Amino acid sequence: RAGLFKAPEMVRINAGQFSMGAKNGLPDESPVHTVQLSGFSIDRYEISRIAFEEWLVAQGRKAQADLRNPDLPATNISWEDAAAYCAGRGARLPTEAEWEYAARGTENRPYPWGTDLPTPRRARFGGQERAPLPVRHLLQGTTPEGVYHLAGNVAEWVQDWWHPNYYRESSPQNPQGPEVGDY
């Protein structure tokens, strides 16, 4: 199976301004505040099991995933391994602000695909994410910029630490996350 997938494709997200946070979200998602970001790139798809396994083997590490379904997203990866995988490709994990901007766009979409409510054709939710879909599925849930699975399927790492009050304290320009916090 080696070589099954090419290097991950990235999507360029242009610089812009958006409203970060949620009025009716969790307490750590408020207050809603305006953030200006520089342009950045983000992976079009979640990283597949086979792509992550190929990286592990190239690092001289033991393969660990069940490869019966190699195109499922890689799961159960530490933040350190996710960051190292990205660095090995000349990339990095997105900041929380970049991830949210990629999902919302400059038009502040409530969902990555737009304003329509979630459906099983757009996202995995309500417990469905326990059985993720392959990385190139749920075409109706793709952002207008062409990024897949920014809602549902599996949880994804970002560069930032987590802190419950960060949205109250974050910089309005290219926030990089709190200096200390939790995973």
Side-chain angles (χ1 to χ4, degrees):
R1 292 213 184 257
L4 183 63
F5 289 94
K6 300 181 210 172
E9 183 180 346
M10 298 192 81
V11 173
R12 183 74 183 160
I13 306 294
N14 294 325
Q17 180 176 297
F18 79 111
S19 294
M20 186 172 172
K23 288 180 185 173
N24 299 318
L26 299 171
D28 66 346
E29 299 173 328
S30 67
V32 174
H33 56 290
T34 301
V35 172
Q36 177 71 40
L37 291 176
S38 301
F40 61 96
S41 294
I42 192 167
D43 287 344
R44 182 176 303 277
Y45 309 104
E46 295 162 315
I47 303 305
S48 67
R49 287 179 177 178
I50 191 69
F52 189 74
E53 290 297 315
E54 288 173 347
W55 176 78
L56 279 177
V57 170
Q59 301 302 306
R61 294 174 54 190
K62 182 179 176 185
Q64 61 190 25
D66 173 2
L67 294 180
R68 288 176 287 186
N69 297 303
D71 59 341
L72 287 176
T75 56
N76 300 315
I77 295 171
S78 69
W79 183 93
E80 289 82 3
D81 278 351
Y85 173 84
C86 291
R89 298 176 26 223
R92 63 172 174 78
L93 291 169
T95 65
E96 181 175 351
E98 289 169 339
W99 187 93
E100 189 171 332
Y101 180 53
R104 290 176 171 244
T106 56
E107 45 304 310
N108 289 307
R109 303 180 290 262
Y111 303 104
W113 53 85
T115 58
D116 294 335
L117 292 174
T119 68
R121 291 180 172 252
R122 291 190 179 102
R124 303 292 277 176
F125 60 95
Q128 295 173 331
E129 61 277 7
R130 291 185 193 109
L133 291 173
V135 298
R136 290 169 176 82
H137 276 63
L138 299 176
L139 300 178
Q140 291 181 11
T142 305
T143 69
E145 298 79 16
V147 181
Y148 287 62
H149 297 280
L150 288 175
N153 215 28
V154 297
E156 296 155 347
W157 286 114
V158 293
Q159 175 178 292
D160 310 23
W161 288 104
W162 175 84
H163 191 279
N165 299 320
Y166 182 65
Y167 278 37
R168 290 186 199 111
E169 305 162 1
S170 68
S171 169
Q173 292 279 113
N174 295 311
Q176 299 296 302
E179 295 203 16
V180 296
D182 295 322
Y183 280 113

